[in-house]
Amino acid sequence: MSPHHIIDARGLEPPEPFEKAMEAVADLLPGESVTLVLDRMPHPLFRVLERDGYRYSPLIRDDGSVEILIECP
């Protein structure tokens, strides 16, 4: 994976966005990041990221979608 990747998971049915996020996070090396774009706040994903020590920053876009920057420590 490149140092930064964007995954647009809008319009996908659960659990596909979560699965795509987990696949991307699993490939991150220290210092790399991925941006996930979703239709809603992924609270279950946040719990997993916190548990596993990843940093994340959610942002609500003007169109109402949610952009989450996920960084590998």
Side-chain angles (χ1 to χ4, degrees):
M1 179 173 277
S2 66
H4 187 83
H5 193 68
I6 297 173
I7 298 171
D8 188 344
R10 291 175 289 183
L12 299 177
E13 292 295 320
E16 197 170 359
F18 182 86
E19 291 169 348
K20 286 188 174 290
M22 289 292 88
E23 289 170 9
V25 167
D27 291 338
L28 291 178
L29 297 174
E32 293 183 337
S33 63
V34 63
T35 296
L36 182 62
V37 183
L38 300 166
D39 296 314
R40 65 188 70 79
M41 279 294 176
H43 295 287
L45 174 63
F46 294 159
R47 288 191 291 274
V48 171
L49 293 173
E50 288 171 5
R51 179 195 72 199
D52 293 345
Y54 290 90
R55 294 184 302 265
Y56 64 90
S57 302
L59 170 72
I60 298 175
R61 293 176 161 186
D62 289 340
D63 66 1
S65 63
V66 178
E67 181 177 306
I68 301 114
L69 173 65
I70 303 169
E71 299 174 286
C72 183

